[in-house]
Amino acid sequence: MPAVSKGDGMRGLAVFISDIRNCKSKEAEIKRINKELANIRSKFKGDKALDGYSKKKYVCKLLFIFLLGHDIDFGHMEAVNLLSSNRYTEKQIGYLFISVLVNSNSELIRLINNAIKNDLASRNPTFMGLALHCIANVGSREMAEAFAGEIPKILVAGDTMDSVKQSAALCLLRLYRTSPDLVPMGDWTSRVVHLLNDQHLGVVTAATSLITTLAQKNPEEFKTSVSLAVSRLSRIVTSASTDLQDYTYYFVPAPWLSVKLLRLLQCYPPPEDPAVRGRLTECLETILNKAQEPPKSKKVQHSNAKNAVLFEAISLIIHHDSEPNLLVRACNQLGQFLQHRETNLRYLALESMCTLASSEFSHEAVKTHIETVINALKTERDVSVRQRAVDLLYAMCDRSNAQQIVAEMLNYLETADYSIREEIVLKVAILAEKYAVDYTWYVDTILNLIRIAGDYVSEEVWYRVIQIVINRDDVQGYAAKTVFEALQAPACHENLVKVGGYILGEFGNLIAGDPRSSPLIQFNLLHSKFHLCSVPTRALLLSTYIKFVNLFPEIKTTIQDVLRSDSQLKNADVELQQRAVEYLRLSTIASTDILATVLEEMPPFPERESSILAKLKKKKGPSTVTDLEETKKERSADMNGGTEPAPVNASAVSTPSPSADLLGLGTGPPPNAAPAPASSGSLLVDVFSEPASAVTQLAPGSQENFASPDLASSELVSEEPSEAARGADELTHKFVCKNNGVLFENQLLQIGLKSEFRQNLGRMFIFYGNKTSTQFLTFTPTLICSDELQSNLNLQTKPVDPTVDGGAQVQQVVNIECISDFTEAPVLNIQFRYGGTFQNVSVKLPITLNKFFQPTEMASQDFFQRWKQLSNPQQEVQNIFKAKHPMDPEITKAKIIGFGSALLEEVDPNPANFVGAGIIHTRTAQIGCLLRLEPNLQAQMYRLTLRTSKETVSQRLCELLSEQF
Amino acid sequence: MQFMLLFSRQGKLRLQKWYVPLSDKEKKKITRELVQTVLARKPKMCSFLEWRDLKIVYKRYASLYFCCAIEDQDNELITLEIIHRYVELLDKYFGSVCELDIIFNFEKAYFILDEFLLGGEVQETSKKNVLKAIEQADLLQENQNEDWGGLSDDIL
């Protein structure tokens, strides 16, 4: 046979390949290829009709060139011609070319399909096989349209050859994956199920894959496959190693088929019929028993095949999660693998144990392996294995072993690979918080994290430690003492300076009695780090200093001297300069009482979700984290639950913002805080990222938390479907004063929005509805932000399923964080394939600055006082414009509320005018905003005035609101 | 299985088989990224790695790396043996196969793969059955070549 294969045919091709291989440089190769392309082109164009053999040879050369990575833009027609050749090898090369290169040449599809049709009808099994391979390889919608009806017939026909049946089964599977709507279920399905009983194991192997995929989408229709699969599996696992002849692989009977059958059974719950269930349990026990037998061969193929079946059996046991005995046996088996000399087995055992850890039956059994897993962390040489060990430690962690696991993770972090450090930091932070019995331990752990891996400690982590310290007065003194000590280190990480600065600014007084940490020493210690820090940290430290002025009047003059120095008052950075000027002024003019009020200790942080957990989910995808959390929820009756102040707010901590403080808008809990649902027990139970609960929140009737303004405005703004033609800006304007509605609609697609915002965070649910009865393929929505916008607005989302069934709706969640004020809107681009055509839709996503408004109620006197404070010309922006809508005061009021600000009654002496106030929340600052709208009915005009502490904010809000009236 | 790649130690792609629709650009990008990742791994390391949302299973045979991308629920070990069985098929067909065989007879490597795997799923695991299909084709080919007397092939 080798002689056949090597010597046959195309000598010219071999010569060409040699030439290419002999090319000394890339240039030489390209030159040779271009010469060849020119030659082939001239042959194809030449007058002389080429014989089939030459055509085959040239087509094969083109294919080779393409596979080298070059583009090929001709030869398709010649390849199609080869399809209708009667010579097998010519046909074969033609099909290969089509399989690899078919793409844009849609006019050829008809010709190709014709050739395939002829071959399918030829009754020549070899030709039928080629045609089916081609369909399976290309798998396009056009092919599905042409052949999805025909292939099931070939598959179940009594006279079809076995090899053709195999190809037909997998060909149909491929078509079903790309175009399920074109593969209607029918009489053939029950006959396909019976292929599980076929005598030919190759047919069973191919059919099982098809049945598994079909059963996932149509479980009822394929229910009978369960008992057939169990009896087939039973026959295989009890057969002697030689029974199955060529289907035995290194003494393992039919490993591929066994794995596929076990996989099929994972589409269903445990069998209800006790006989079937008993037989399956026997099978699984046999597989587990075989793992304990001495190997029949030393070859790795033997153990791999055997263990492949074993791991799949364990997956099924975990999937059923109903037989404690089997679960514990599985766990013990995996425990053995944890110490196996094969790296692959250790890796898989760690991975598989992660899922076992979340079953209540095996959680304890998994925990017994803790020492081995910790050891793996220390000794494994492959980072991907160590990563699995970290995952498993995280999964097996509970209150009994949290201290040990956290200590070991911290230990490992000292030498951990850079690629996984951030994730370990997040995991440690979560476990430390979740299982903290003693919050001093928690504080120590986080400070250790910062010491060991400061660069990988994200904002979320250090925000969180501050939140917890502020919310728990039993730990504040300890925290102050500990950060003070940690700051003594000659080189400490900037994140430690931030945490230290913040905590001492709040609670430094608790340790000031000790002469070793007197106020002056605390101040000098912090100030010694000041010049090494970045601007945001320095800004934070300046806030600490002004807090010190209040806490420690005795060092007020020292601090004033520092604030007064040129390096502060004339600092090139505007934020630092402003803080220095304002703080100095504040410390000079304000009485002790006022200082004490303004610089009061921060109120407890309202909360709902651990921002760290959210971050880990973002990194790892939803399933990994959520599942573990969900299943462990029961067990985690830890002290976090219930003791925290009633949470409502999802926002992270913001650094004390001087401008907001001075305006007096920033203190106190958010005015619209509503009590949290009683069910939000544990801090870590993540209400927000469960789509189901989020959607119920959005449902009418439960909107009081956030959407009340919309109730008013939704009546005013039309809900009718928008059209593609409508201007993008107009669309954005439509959503300025409301959060829900239809963003886009054409004949194919409807996009709906629901969103909610709180402080500087938001969450938007985008619903994509397929209005047709045909599937959308490669459905890819993308969010596009300019570089500038990206630095001001942080959008996070996950890809959606690339297939959207006809009539179905898919949902995408976008998490929004406003970092700084912004003007542009992000663009949502959607690409997908509908039928044969490519669709591309772009719409602006209505995320506007006013979404981050928090309304502020205030009395007339306060309003005018602040109004006067914001008298700087840059702070005010005014617009006079013509009314575009009827001037109805009730509608206007609703719009101002919908815009996000509070509507202040009885402030303006003129009752016809409207006055509003609120705070724009961004991560970096909180900006107090005041607004006044004066209608002039006779002229049908408005005058709108915005005053805020930031020019760009005044400007943007004025633009947005002007468009609404 | 989503795709299979064969590449040399020098990073030259020798065979690519895609079971999911992707643009040429995307294919090239994936190939570049994966070849780099896999070549950077040391021997004796684990044969599996997480990559994007897929699992990569790879194994080196002499100068060639065989690399498969499978989905989350797929079985890593059985994929490793898919690779091995394919190598056995090539070996049996070419007679102790080497990289050159795959370079010069790339079309055969594709034909054998199509008999073994179709649409990313195992179609036929019996070595005999797979090779029987290929042998039959070769027989047809030989007969047809006789018609041409082996003379008609020009160099270009």
Side-chain angles (χ1 to χ4, degrees):
Chain A
M1 183 164 46
V4 177
S5 65
K6 286 189 181 155
D8 71 81
M10 302 177 278
R11 195 163 143 248
L13 176 66
V15 169
F16 174 57
I17 295 175
S18 298
D19 280 2
I20 295 290
R21 286 178 51 77
N22 290 333
C23 286
K24 295 275 187 294
S25 64
K26 194 80 198 161
E27 290 71 36
E29 182 184 310
I30 291 173
K31 212 173 143 199
R32 178 68 185 85
I33 285 170
N34 285 337
K35 185 179 156 202
E36 191 64 39
L37 288 174
N39 171 52
I40 299 171
R41 208 175 254 122
S42 73
K43 296 280 182 195
F44 282 168
K45 280 192 182 153
D47 306 331
K48 205 177 90 193
L50 285 175
D51 58 58
Y53 171 80
S54 308
K55 237 185 251 170
K56 172 181 98 174
K57 183 183 66 188
Y58 294 129
V59 165
C60 213
K61 282 180 179 176
L62 287 178
L63 192 54
F64 181 78
I65 294 170
F66 176 79
L67 290 169
L68 280 178
H70 303 268
D71 293 334
I72 294 295
D73 54 6
F74 68 102
H76 299 77
M77 191 45 105
E78 285 74 14
V80 173
N81 284 341
L82 286 177
L83 296 185
S84 40
S85 163
N86 278 327
R87 291 177 187 279
Y88 179 76
T89 58
E90 289 168 17
K91 200 186 265 297
Q92 197 183 24
I93 294 291
Y95 273 125
L96 180 61
F97 184 95
I98 301 297
S99 301
V100 175
L101 261 135
V102 82
N103 41 20
S104 48
N105 265 293
S106 53
E107 74 265 34
L108 289 180
I109 294 282
R110 205 175 41 84
L111 292 173
I112 296 169
N113 280 356
N114 246 338
I116 292 176
K117 199 167 280 167
N118 289 337
D119 282 336
L120 285 182
S122 70
R123 308 185 71 79
N124 173 339
T126 337
F127 287 4
M128 286 172 88
L130 281 180
L132 289 168
H133 289 180
C134 181
I135 301 172
N137 282 325
V138 176
S140 68
R141 196 163 173 87
E142 291 83 355
M143 286 198 175
E145 276 161 1
F147 303 111
E150 180 66 18
I151 293 169
K153 288 181 205 150
I154 298 177
L155 177 59
V156 298
D159 57 348
T160 305
M161 297 258 300
D162 288 332
S163 65
V164 176
K165 264 189 206 164
Q166 287 167 274
S167 300
L170 294 176
C171 184
L172 190 57
L173 168 58
R174 174 72 195 260
L175 294 184
Y176 185 77
R177 279 192 184 137
T178 41
S179 321
D181 55 314
L182 295 179
V183 183
M185 300 297 113
D187 295 344
W188 58 275
T189 53
S190 59
R191 302 181 65 181
V192 165
V193 173
H194 280 93
L195 290 178
L196 288 172
N197 267 337
D198 202 281
Q199 290 197 323
H200 190 285
L201 279 187
V203 172
V204 187
T205 305
T208 308
S209 291
L210 173 65
I211 294 166
T212 304
T213 305
L214 294 173
Q216 278 162 354
K217 291 255 171 82
N218 318 278
E220 267 308 302
E221 197 118 7
F222 290 87
K223 231 164 79 183
T224 47
S225 64
V226 172
S227 61
L228 292 176
V230 170
S231 64
R232 188 94 226 186
L233 182 68
S234 166
R235 270 177 282 160
I236 294 172
V237 296
T238 53
S239 65
S241 50
T242 48
D243 286 357
L244 304 180
Q245 293 160 358
D246 214 27
Y247 290 91
T248 298
Y249 179 80
Y250 291 86
F251 304 103
V252 181
W256 283 280
L257 179 53
S258 306
V259 167
K260 284 185 182 191
L261 291 167
L262 288 162
R263 180 80 190 276
L264 167 60
L265 292 170
Q266 287 171 61
C267 302
Y268 291 93
E272 280 161 21
D273 181 341
V276 178
R277 188 167 174 158
R279 203 164 177 199
L280 177 58
T281 306
E282 260 170 44
C283 283
L284 294 171
E285 278 169 349
T286 312
I287 294 171
L288 285 166
N289 291 341
K290 279 192 179 173
Q292 297 299 327
E293 290 170 8
K296 294 194 173 68
S297 154
K298 285 219 164 62
K299 290 246 162 102
V300 68
Q301 283 76 28
H302 171 68
S303 82
N304 279 350
K306 191 165 131 183
N307 292 326
V309 178
L310 175 62
F311 274 103
E312 205 59 53
I314 292 176
S315 293
L316 179 62
I317 292 170
I318 297 173
H319 169 79
H320 285 168
D321 198 13
S322 62
E323 300 268 357
N325 174 38
L326 288 176
L327 281 161
V328 171
R329 282 194 67 186
C331 184
N332 293 339
Q333 183 59 54
L334 294 176
Q336 287 181 18
F337 285 153
L338 286 181
Q339 297 181 337
H340 202 279
R341 61 187 165 77
E342 277 278 325
T343 314
N344 288 345
L345 284 181
R346 295 197 303 273
Y347 176 97
L348 295 174
L350 289 165
E351 187 184 46
S352 190
M353 258 199 190
C354 266
T355 31
L356 270 181
S358 57
S359 161
E360 55 173 319
F361 299 117
S362 48
H363 182 75
E364 288 302 317
V366 170
K367 274 168 62 188
T368 60
H369 299 286
I370 184 166
E371 296 301 334
T372 318
V373 182
I374 287 170
N375 198 39
L377 206 54
K378 291 176 180 162
T379 55
E380 284 293 348
R381 278 188 287 173
D382 184 345
V383 53
S384 37
V385 185
R386 291 193 298 268
Q387 163 91 61
R388 291 282 85 83
V390 171
D391 289 348
L392 179 53
L393 283 178
Y394 181 76
M396 66 160 70
C397 193
D398 61 19
R399 292 186 68 183
S400 71
N401 55 19
Q403 299 229 354
Q404 185 189 6
I405 286 178
V406 165
E408 291 296 347
M409 283 191 175
L410 278 174
N411 222 339
Y412 171 56
L413 193 55
E414 307 243 15
T415 53
D417 310 74
Y418 297 116
S419 55
I420 58 175
R421 280 195 181 187
E422 189 184 357
E423 199 189 313
I424 296 175
V425 167
L426 290 173
K427 285 184 163 154
V428 169
I430 290 169
L431 294 177
E433 178 184 336
K434 186 169 180 185
Y435 298 114
V437 181
D438 168 4
Y439 274 87
T440 59
W441 173 71
Y442 170 72
V443 170
D444 286 342
T445 303
I446 302 296
L447 292 184
N448 261 330
L449 268 186
I450 297 176
R451 182 179 58 76
I452 297 168
D455 285 344
Y456 297 90
V457 172
S458 54
E459 281 176 347
E460 287 85 349
V461 174
W462 72 261
Y463 283 178
R464 191 75 187 149
V465 70
I466 287 175
Q467 280 182 357
I468 287 182
V469 169
I470 284 179
N471 289 2
R472 312 193 64 88
D473 40 21
D474 53 336
V475 78
Q476 289 160 355
Y478 180 80
K481 181 164 161 287
T482 317
V483 292
F484 177 78
E485 278 162 11
L487 284 167
Q488 307 281 343
C492 52
H493 195 273
E494 191 165 331
N495 278 337
L496 181 65
V497 179
K498 288 179 186 160
V499 174
Y502 202 108
I503 289 181
L504 290 179
E506 296 293 321
F507 310 113
N509 55 326
L510 300 177
I511 57 166
D514 186 329
R516 285 167 300 177
S517 51
S518 72
L520 189 60
I521 294 179
Q522 285 186 38
F523 173 72
N524 285 338
L525 179 61
L526 284 175
H527 199 52
S528 69
K529 318 278 182 196
F530 187 91
H531 300 281
L532 302 170
C533 292
S534 64
V535 167
T537 308
R538 287 196 217 179
L540 184 151
L541 285 178
L542 287 177
S543 298
T544 302
Y545 297 169
I546 190 68
K547 289 243 168 184
F548 274 177
V549 167
N550 175 44
L551 287 182
F552 312 127
E554 63 268 38
I555 59 167
K556 179 171 167 180
T557 48
T558 316
I559 291 172
Q560 284 177 329
D561 286 345
V562 168
L563 293 175
R564 200 178 286 124
S565 69
D566 278 358
S567 62
Q568 309 294 355
L569 276 191
K570 296 188 179 167
N571 195 297
D573 185 273
V574 82
E575 176 70 28
L576 292 182
Q577 192 188 78
Q578 189 183 354
R579 286 192 187 210
V581 171
E582 288 177 357
Y583 289 161
L584 181 60
R585 191 79 190 130
L586 178 67
S587 72
T588 320
I589 59 165
S591 69
T592 327
D593 286 355
I594 292 181
L595 269 185
T597 313
V598 173
L599 302 171
E600 191 179 26
E601 190 180 304
M602 290 295 281
F605 282 93
E607 46 190 324
R608 170 175 255 165
E609 177 190 23
S610 164
S611 43
I612 315 176
L613 194 56
K615 169 132 182 169
L616 184 66
K617 281 178 193 166
K618 250 183 244 168
K619 271 183 79 74
K620 295 286 283 183
S623 57
T624 38
V625 188
T626 322
D627 290 348
L628 293 174
E629 291 310 321
E630 287 302 298
T631 46
K632 280 189 166 184
K633 205 156 47 178
E634 303 302 317
R635 280 192 289 277
S636 67
D638 54 273
M639 59 187 298
N640 281 327
T643 55
E644 296 293 334
V648 79
N649 210 305
S651 89
V653 180
S654 56
T655 53
S657 167
S659 50
D661 282 349
L662 289 176
L663 267 172
L665 302 178
T667 48
N672 63 343
S679 62
S680 66
S682 164
L683 283 183
L684 286 152
V685 175
D686 176 15
V687 181
F688 249 126
S689 52
E690 292 167 42
S693 66
V695 170
T696 39
Q697 278 199 332
L698 285 161
S702 62
Q703 296 193 332
E704 67 280 2
N705 276 348
F706 59 93
S708 40
D710 301 330
L711 289 178
S713 64
S714 59
E715 294 156 17
L716 312 169
V717 185
S718 81
E719 283 284 1
E720 92 239 341
S722 54
E723 293 147 28
R726 198 187 273 186
D729 283 331
E730 196 184 328
L731 263 172
T732 321
H733 294 148
K734 178 184 154 191
F735 282 89
V736 164
C737 291
K738 64 176 209 157
N739 288 332
N740 307 336
V742 176
L743 176 66
F744 172 85
E745 182 156 23
N746 64 13
Q747 285 165 331
L748 306 177
L749 177 71
Q750 185 191 60
I751 306 174
L753 289 185
K754 284 183 176 177
S755 44
E756 49 180 313
F757 294 87
R758 243 179 240 119
Q759 299 203 344
N760 71 321
L761 300 180
R763 180 167 289 235
M764 182 174 269
F765 296 82
I766 309 179
F767 300 90
Y768 303 99
N770 180 345
K771 291 172 65 181
T772 71
S773 54
T774 308
Q775 218 181 21
F776 293 164
L777 297 172
T778 61
F779 187 83
T780 343
T782 319
L783 294 173
I784 302 160
C785 292
S786 69
D787 288 353
E788 198 203 341
L789 185 58
Q790 239 166 34
S791 59
N792 296 331
L793 193 67
N794 184 6
L795 300 180
Q796 300 279 353
T797 187
K798 291 192 200 74
V800 300
D801 192 326
T803 330
V804 185
D805 288 339
Q809 191 182 58
V810 296
Q811 172 192 327
Q812 186 178 33
V813 186
V814 183
N815 289 315
I816 306 156
E817 187 195 14
C818 176
I819 301 165
S820 179
D821 65 288
F822 62 96
T823 306
E824 299 168 63
V827 172
L828 173 66
N829 173 263
I830 300 129
Q831 303 191 335
F832 61 93
R833 288 187 69 82
Y834 165 73
T837 57
F838 177 76
Q839 306 284 333
N840 193 343
V841 172
S842 278
V843 279
K844 277 195 184 170
L845 210 53
I847 300 173
T848 45
L849 183 57
N850 66 299
K851 299 295 179 192
F852 305 96
F853 238 136
Q854 292 273 310
T856 312
E857 294 291 342
M858 60 178 80
S860 165
Q861 193 190 349
D862 294 337
F863 182 87
F864 283 108
Q865 193 188 342
R866 287 180 184 128
W867 185 263
K868 280 180 203 130
Q869 279 166 358
L870 294 168
S871 55
N872 193 317
Q874 288 104 50
Q875 294 171 328
E876 183 188 280
V877 173
Q878 197 168 71
N879 188 17
I880 299 170
F881 55 92
K882 206 152 179 69
K884 289 190 277 289
H885 304 283
M887 295 175 78
D888 179 339
E890 285 318 305
I891 293 178
T892 308
K893 280 183 191 171
K895 282 185 178 171
I896 289 174
I897 292 169
F899 190 62
S901 70
L903 181 71
L904 303 177
E905 308 275 5
E906 295 173 11
V907 166
D908 199 304
N910 178 354
N913 293 345
F914 303 91
V915 168
I919 304 169
I920 294 285
H921 287 258
T922 71
R923 192 209 282 169
T924 47
Q926 300 183 5
I927 301 128
C929 309
L930 304 175
L931 69 89
R932 184 177 190 222
L933 181 72
E934 300 159 83
N936 180 338
L937 281 170
Q938 278 161 330
Q940 288 286 304
M941 301 278 281
Y942 285 105
R943 180 165 71 184
L944 175 63
T945 315
L946 256 293
R947 284 193 180 185
T948 81
S949 50
K950 199 164 176 194
E951 186 184 4
T952 46
V953 173
S954 306
Q955 187 66 48
R956 181 60 182 154
L957 291 179
C958 187
E959 285 166 15
L960 286 168
L961 194 56
S962 298
E963 291 300 327
Q964 298 300 317
F965 301 105
Chain B
M1 188 183 298
Q2 299 222 338
F3 55 85
M4 183 193 257
L5 303 175
L6 262 67
F7 51 88
S8 69
R9 229 168 31 177
Q10 290 76 34
K12 291 227 178 214
L13 191 60
R14 295 302 181 206
L15 181 141
Q16 45 176 320
K17 189 80 190 178
W18 305 87
Y19 297 111
V20 283
L22 291 169
S23 69
D24 284 348
K25 205 174 136 200
E26 184 70 13
K27 287 178 187 170
K28 280 185 183 166
K29 191 168 159 242
I30 291 174
T31 308
R32 214 176 322 124
E33 217 174 287
L34 264 187
V35 167
Q36 226 173 24
T37 311
V38 170
L39 287 181
R41 288 177 64 86
K42 298 192 193 78
K44 299 252 167 141
M45 274 189 168
C46 163
S47 312
F48 320 125
L49 54 124
E50 284 186 336
W51 181 81
R52 299 191 187 176
D53 53 350
L54 298 174
K55 300 194 284 197
I56 302 298
V57 177
Y58 73 94
K59 187 159 181 179
R60 183 177 157 184
Y61 288 85
S63 59
L64 269 187
Y65 284 85
F66 290 68
C67 175
C68 299
I70 56 174
E71 279 155 74
D72 190 45
Q73 294 176 339
D74 291 337
N75 189 310
E76 290 98 336
L77 284 174
I78 207 72
T79 309
L80 211 48
E81 294 319 298
I82 287 178
I83 293 176
H84 187 74
R85 170 85 346 155
Y86 182 47
V87 173
E88 286 183 349
L89 289 166
L90 293 171
D91 199 61
K92 189 94 187 269
Y93 180 77
F94 288 110
S96 66
V97 65
C98 66
E99 194 184 337
L100 280 181
D101 291 320
I102 296 175
I103 297 172
F104 280 95
N105 302 282
F106 67 95
E107 78 282 10
K108 290 281 191 285
Y110 280 94
F111 297 148
I112 294 173
L113 188 58
D114 271 354
E115 293 292 338
F116 176 42
L117 293 180
L118 193 62
E121 303 286 339
V122 173
Q123 174 174 221
E124 176 56 86
T125 68
S126 155
K127 221 162 27 172
K128 270 188 210 147
N129 289 351
V130 171
L131 291 175
K132 203 163 68 192
I134 301 287
E135 272 173 61
Q136 276 172 352
D138 278 334
L139 229 54
L140 285 168
Q141 178 154 329
E142 265 213 324
N143 296 338
Q144 286 162 7
N145 275 352
E146 273 162 21
D147 300 347
W148 295 96
L151 292 172
S152 68
D153 195 7
D154 54 353
I155 299 294
L156 280 178

